Amino acid sequence: MKTTALNNEHVKLGAKLVDFAGYNMPIQYKAGILAEHNWVRESCGIFDVSHMGQIDIRGSGASDFVSKITPTNFEKCNINQAKYTVLLNERGGIIDDLIITKFSSSHFSAVINAGTKENDILYIKSI
């Protein structure tokens, strides 16, 4: 099973770990879900995304490309703005959800789901 960069911290904090998309991931800590919820609401929390897929889309046609594979018009997005959107198939059906950040009109970064990242990347490359 794969581990993330934060795996040792999860273990040290007593997390209950389970297999998620081939990664050893926490689903709960000793204090319980309500305590976690309250801590995040009152202080701060992090979500370990290092198991998720990350891709860069670069080039002169990058903005048109991300607007083609999603229903989002990235021309209207500000620099460094992230959008929660969906990856569309050729008929406009939803393949998966993802978050895309615009760094410039020619550079975008997408965070995709861990369990479907291989298929999503193959699909994106096929377009």
Side-chain angles (χ1 to χ4, degrees), residues 15-71:
K16 179 179 180 182
L17 300 164
V18 298
D19 179 2
F20 180 80
Y23 287 83
N24 197 32
M25 296 297 294
I27 58 166
Q28 186 174 334
Y29 292 89
K30 285 189 244 181
I33 293 171
L34 289 177
E36 290 175 46
H37 169 82
N38 288 332
W39 178 264
V40 170
R41 296 281 305 219
E42 296 167 5
S43 300
C44 179
I46 62 170
F47 179 69
D48 186 354
V49 297
S50 56
H51 65 295
M52 299 179 79
Q54 301 170 38
I55 58 173
D56 273 342
I57 301 166
R58 295 176 185 254
S60 60
S63 184
D64 290 337
F65 182 77
V66 293
S67 292
K68 177 182 177 180
I69 64 172
T70 71

Side-chain angles (χ1 to χ4, degrees), residues 78-98:
N78 296 321
I79 302 300
N80 297 321
Q81 184 176 10
K83 288 284 190 176
Y84 175 68
T85 187
V86 291
L87 179 62
L88 300 175
N89 65 24
E90 61 279 350
R91 295 183 319 270
I94 296 173
I95 295 172
D96 207 352
D97 62 337
L98 68 164

